[in-house]
Every structure is written in C-alpha cells, then in structure tokens.
Amino acid sequence: MNKTDLIKKVSFNLNKTQKETAEIINETFATIAEVLEKGEKVVISNFGTFKVIETKPFECFNPINGEKMQIASQRRIRFNSSRWIKWIKI
C-alpha cells in the first residue's frame, strides 16, 4: 500500500473527499517529522513509537582501496511497533 492507496482507503472509510483526507494525512506526517526533528519521541497508542537515536562513530574499510575510514555519529529514526501490531497475523 502506498500513500495514494492509504488516502483512498481512509477517505472511503470516513466518507470524506480524497482532497480533505490527503490534507489530514499530509499534516499528520508533517507533524510527526517536525517533532522528530526536535529530538522528541512520538507515541501512537496501539501502533508504535517513533524516536530519534544517535549512532556511535565507527571505523570501517573502503572496499575499493582498503583504507580505513571514520564514519561520524548520525541521528536515525527508530520505530518500535506496539504489542497490538505484533499480534496481527499476516
């Protein structure tokens, strides 16, 4: 399912236009991104938690020339699904 399919499905379930639903979904995603940029976590009950983690710097080797490279620490987004989502049988 992609974003367009999600908009169609939600608009059908809520009896809203696709334009209204797209605005709601886009604003939801923008708000989640805005909160994550601040370094805060987003908890959505019965769905999961989005949080920002800081990775440690590490050394690795360039596969082309074999030189050691230092990879700087990075901020990443981690998603942990709720127990309810984990129980869904696929």
Side-chain angles (χ1 to χ4, degrees):
M1 174 178 275
N2 59 30
K3 188 174 176 183
T4 305
D5 296 336
L6 178 65
I7 291 169
K8 288 178 183 176
K9 178 83 172 166
V10 172
S11 68
F12 178 77
N13 289 343
L14 297 178
N15 293 324
K16 299 267 186 189
T17 65
Q18 288 185 17
K19 186 174 182 180
E20 291 173 329
T21 306
E23 289 176 12
I24 293 168
I25 289 176
N26 288 334
E27 189 58 37
T28 302
F29 291 155
T31 303
I32 290 171
E34 185 179 306
V35 171
L36 290 172
E37 281 180 358
K38 294 178 185 176
E40 301 172 16
K41 71 179 181 178
V42 178
V43 179
I44 303 172
S45 297
N46 293 329
F47 185 71
T49 303
F50 295 93
K51 61 183 173 181
V52 178
I53 60 166
E54 184 90 22
T55 61
K56 297 178 184 178
F58 63 94
E59 285 187 356
C60 64
F61 290 96
N62 184 334
I64 296 172
N65 58 18
E67 290 181 10
K68 275 189 176 179
M69 296 173 33
Q70 181 70 25
I71 306 296
S73 64
Q74 299 175 344
R75 292 176 62 184
R76 305 247 183 215
I77 297 172
R78 167 136 321 142
F79 175 75
N80 292 329
S81 59
S82 70
R83 291 182 188 164
W84 185 78
I85 291 288
K86 290 178 184 176
W87 289 341
I88 294 174
K89 294 184 180 182
I90 299 174

